[in-house]
Amino acid sequence: YPLNKDKKGGGSEKDGSISNMYCSMCYENGQFLTPPDIDTAAKMQQYCMREMKKDGMNVFFAWLATRSIPSLERWKK
């Protein structure tokens, strides 16, 4: 979920500040919210696309929004 489209402006860190790296769909209070089985960038892309479609986002735009997931710091390891 691109940060510029995040309704909350981003996820939250442990101290309550807004994360500038992760969105509110996947990060809150300094922890990732995704289920433990979402352990690869490809799985995260599919998960995010499903969630965005539930929010009413068009499939094509959901795909566009998730293209950069593999480049996020979380998945570079």
Side-chain angles (χ1 to χ4, degrees):
Y1 211 121
L3 286 172
N4 61 352
K5 301 274 188 203
D6 193 320
K7 295 172 186 172
K8 296 180 182 179
S12 61
E13 301 292 350
K14 287 181 184 180
D15 64 5
S17 64
I18 298 293
S19 170
N20 62 359
M21 289 184 70
Y22 303 111
C23 72
S24 62
M25 278 184 63
C26 35
Y27 195 71
E28 189 174 279
N29 295 320
Q31 297 182 344
F32 291 107
L33 303 173
T34 48
D37 62 314
I38 307 297
D39 56 1
T40 67
K43 289 179 185 177
M44 184 64 170
Q45 286 172 300
Q46 292 301 313
Y47 172 79
C48 289
M49 285 181 65
R50 282 192 308 271
E51 294 300 310
M52 286 184 226
K53 286 190 278 184
K54 285 181 193 175
D55 265 358
M57 186 178 280
N58 172 290
V59 174
F60 177 73
F61 289 113
W63 174 79
L64 278 176
T66 61
R67 287 185 331 164
S68 63
I69 285 175
S71 67
L72 295 174
E73 193 65 34
R74 177 181 183 185
W75 304 111
K76 287 183 179 180
K77 299 173 185 167

